[in-house]
Amino acid sequence: FAFTALMSFAFSTFMLIYTSYAYITYLITSGELNVFSLLPESMRHRFLNTSIHDMLTDNSGYMENRFLLLYFIPGLTPEQILGMVNRLPQRHRDLVLGPGGVARMLLPPSINNRINRINNAYASASTSA
């Protein structure tokens, strides 16, 4: 009896793992789980139609985000970096020092606004409780 129970348990576990693997593989290959479609059209176009060389030599993205390189200057103390950040334009200071700066930099505004609404609702619900 114990051997039969052990074999049944092992077979059931194997089938559960295999079914989970097969379902995830199906979702990925069928196109139903497509994170790429959530990206804005401009980012999809850039990922599909731009070479790495073109991306690295294009000055538009570099010029907009070059202020981030001050964090990679060797030998600066955190106080010196903060002093340099305080001399940046207001929009760059808000991005670097404000909460959610990474999300604001990487996510499209529509998704970022949705996340902020959810976060604000969660914060107001937790403070009122």
Side-chain angles (χ1 to χ4, degrees), residues 4-51:
T4 305
L6 179 66
M7 290 305 293
S8 297
F9 175 76
F11 182 72
S12 299
T13 304
F14 170 75
M15 288 306 294
L16 179 65
I17 292 170
Y18 176 76
T19 305
S20 300
Y21 169 77
Y23 181 67
I24 291 170
T25 305
Y26 166 76
L27 284 177
I28 291 171
T29 57
S30 71
E32 291 182 32
L33 182 66
N34 190 355
V35 178
F36 194 68
S37 65
L38 299 176
L39 294 174
E41 182 63 34
S42 60
M43 289 181 76
R44 278 187 276 172
H45 177 73
R46 188 168 185 109
F47 285 145
L48 292 176
N49 301 322
T50 307
S51 69

